[in-house]
Amino acid sequence: MNVSLLEPRLFRDAHLYTPEDQGICDLLVAGGKIIAYEPAGVDITLPGCQVSSLDGATVCPGFFDQHVHLIGGGGEAGPHTRTPEVQLSKLVTAGITSVVGLLGTDGITRHPESLLAKTRALEHEGISAWMLTGAYGLPSPTITGSIEKDIAFIDKIIGVKCAISDHRSSAPDTAQLANMAAQSRVAGLLGAKAGVSVFHMGSSSRELEPIYEILRCSDVPITKLLPTHVNRAESLFMAALRFAREGGYIDITSSIDAPIDPARAIMMAREGNVPLSRVTLSSDGNGSQPHFDASGNLTGIGVAGFESLLNTLQQLVIEHHLPLEEALLPLTRNVAEFLGFAHKGQLAPGCDADFLVLDEELNIREVWAKGRQMVRDNKAIVKGTFE
C-alpha cells in the first residue's frame, strides 16, 4: 500500500456535510478512513499530520452509483452498438467513489465473469466496486451456475438483476421471479451480503405488478426488491411512489430526463409523503439509451453518461431549493443503507474516506476515494491502467 495513504491528513475549515450539515469543521483522515471531525478550532491533529485548508469549501460524501454498465451495455441495433467499458476517470470526475456494476439487455455476448474482472480492476485502481449477477433474462446467467452460490461465495457479488415489464425481458412467470428473489435473499444471509433483487423496469402497462406478485406468493421482504428506471413513465412513477410508501425502495435514473426528470421525480416523491430515505438515484451510466416506436422498432440509440448525477444534485439545491443535506441522501447514505454498507455513504469515524470538495456552485473541485486524491481542479489525477 502507498505509505502516503496511511499518513494522517487534516482538512481545515471545511463546510462539512456528513451528509447532515455540521457547519465549519476540521476533518482528520488516515489509513484511508475517517478518523474524526470536530468544529474548527478544536485540535485533532496527529504527529506527522499533513494539513490542507479548504477555506469553507463544501465537503460531502462521494457518490454511490448502484447501477452502472461497467463493461458496457447496448447491442439492440447489432454488435456495433455495444457500448464500451467504462474508464476509471469517467467515474471519479463525476464524483463516483463507490459503484455497482451489472449487465443489461445483452447477457449473451457479455458475461458475469467479465463483469467480475472489471469490478476487481476498478477496486485495484482506487475506488470501491461491487456487482450484481444475472442480466435481463431468466434463468439468470451466473458464474457458478447458481444465483445462491454467486452471492454467497463470490465476495464482489451482492445481489441479482433481471428485467420485467419490458418487451426485452424474458417474460418470466411469478414462480421464476419469486425463486430468483428468494435465492438472492437466502444467499445474502449466508454470505453476509445485501442479497437484493434489482428489477429493470420497462414501459409495459404491467408496471410493478410482477413485484407485487412476488410479495403475494413469497416471504421475501419488500426492502430486498428494488425497481429501477421508475421515472421513465408517469404511470410507472405513480406506482413506484405507492410502493415506496408501503415500505419499499425505489431507484430513480438520473440519465432519464423525460417524462419526469430526476430532480422533479425526487421532489414529487418528497411531496407525495414518500420517506426520502427510501429513494435512491443512479446513473445507468455506460448503458445504451435506445428509442423504440410503438411497434417496438428501434428508432435511435445513444449512451448514458455520468454527469447527470451531479446535475441532479445541483438542480435539487439551486432550482428546487432543497437543502443540500437532503439532496445528498439519494446519492450517498440511502444507497449504502439499502446495500448494507455501514462504512459507505457517510462521513463518520471508521467510514472510508470517500468525499468530494465542491465549490459555491456545487461543481466538483476534488474527489478523494479511500483517502487517496483522485481528482484535482475537476481533472482526474489518477487514471485507469490503460488510459
Side-chain angles (χ1 to χ4, degrees):
M1 179 179 288
N2 189 330
V3 174
S4 65
L5 299 184
L6 299 175
E7 296 173 347
R9 188 178 189 112
L10 183 67
F11 296 86
R12 289 197 184 278
D13 300 323
H15 190 162
L16 187 65
Y17 288 81
T18 60
E20 286 79 18
D21 186 354
Q22 305 294 339
I24 301 299
C25 292
D26 293 345
L27 178 69
L28 182 62
V29 172
K33 299 286 185 179
I34 303 294
I35 303 302
Y37 65 85
E38 294 288 351
V42 177
D43 186 11
I44 54 173
T45 57
L46 294 173
C49 189
Q50 299 183 56
V51 179
S52 302
S53 178
L54 295 180
D55 298 320
T58 295
V59 171
C60 68
F63 298 156
F64 198 146
D65 193 345
Q66 66 173 325
H67 195 111
V68 176
H69 295 273
L70 295 177
I71 60 171
E76 288 95 340
H80 64 289
T81 62
R82 297 163 79 249
T83 66
E85 287 196 5
V86 70
Q87 295 178 321
L88 175 71
S89 62
K90 294 291 186 182
L91 297 173
V92 295
T93 55
I96 298 167
T97 55
S98 298
V99 69
V100 177
L102 35 66
L103 297 180
T105 309
D106 184 3
I108 299 173
T109 72
R110 301 189 191 274
H111 316 95
E113 293 87 345
S114 297
L115 179 56
L116 177 61
K118 181 66 175 182
T119 301
R120 294 198 188 285
L122 288 170
E123 187 85 34
H124 178 82
E125 290 170 347
I127 65 172
S128 300
W130 295 271
M131 63 171 281
L132 303 178
T133 195
Y136 268 29
L138 288 177
S140 299
T142 63
I143 295 174
T144 65
S146 159
I147 293 171
E148 289 177 302
K149 290 181 179 177
D150 273 15
I151 297 170
F153 294 150
I154 300 177
D155 58 337
K156 288 296 179 184
I157 300 181
I158 58 176
V160 65
K161 176 203 174 171
C162 77
I164 57 174
S165 301
D166 192 297
H167 62 92
R168 292 167 292 174
S169 80
S170 59
D173 61 28
T174 300
Q176 285 180 297
L177 284 172
N179 183 255
M180 179 201 77
Q183 287 187 58
S184 182
R185 162 64 171 166
V186 172
L189 294 173
L190 297 175
K193 310 278 189 66
V196 296
S197 296
V198 176
F199 299 90
H200 160 102
M201 300 304 306
S203 301
S204 161
S205 60
R206 296 193 70 204
E207 297 170 348
L208 295 184
E209 184 56 29
I211 297 180
Y212 281 108
E213 289 173 357
I214 294 174
L215 293 172
R216 281 193 288 267
C217 76
S218 76
D219 296 311
V220 176
I222 192 173
T223 54
K224 296 299 179 181
L225 308 176
L226 180 71
T228 187
H229 313 321
V230 296
N231 54 319
R232 75 182 329 143
E234 290 199 18
S235 60
L236 172 62
F237 189 66
M238 293 302 108
L241 295 186
R242 184 186 76 166
F243 182 77
R245 284 192 291 267
E246 293 171 353
Y249 284 87
I250 58 172
D251 188 51
I252 293 166
T253 302
S254 62
S255 57
I256 293 176
D257 55 14
I260 306 176
D261 72 71
R264 178 169 163 250
I266 290 172
M267 294 306 297
M268 288 174 65
R270 186 172 178 269
E271 293 158 5
N273 297 317
V274 171
L276 194 55
S277 61
R278 297 290 185 181
V279 178
T280 64
L281 183 75
S282 64
S283 69
D284 197 20
N286 231 43
S288 66
Q289 294 180 312
H291 303 282
F292 298 94
D293 62 21
S295 300
N297 300 308
L298 188 75
T299 59
I301 193 166
V303 61
F306 301 96
E307 66 283 347
S308 56
L309 291 173
L310 182 65
N311 291 344
T312 301
L313 180 72
Q314 293 169 334
Q315 290 168 11
L316 286 169
V317 174
I318 298 169
E319 297 177 19
H320 295 279
H321 309 293
L322 189 65
L324 180 57
E325 61 185 341
E326 294 185 41
L328 284 166
L329 290 173
L331 298 92
T332 59
R333 179 183 290 158
N334 292 358
V335 183
E337 288 184 347
F338 170 67
L339 295 177
F341 294 123
H343 66 301
K344 292 291 185 181
Q346 60 181 327
L347 302 180
C351 290
D352 285 353
D354 299 336
F355 60 91
L356 315 180
V357 180
L358 309 177
D359 65 18
E360 293 181 354
E361 286 76 39
L362 302 182
N363 295 309
I364 294 173
R365 278 176 33 186
E366 300 177 16
V367 176
W368 295 73
K370 292 183 283 190
R372 181 188 189 190
Q373 188 169 16
M374 311 295 285
V375 172
R376 182 187 299 127
D377 297 325
N378 202 27
K379 290 183 170 45
I381 60 173
V382 176
K383 295 187 177 181
T385 306
F386 296 105
E387 289 193 62

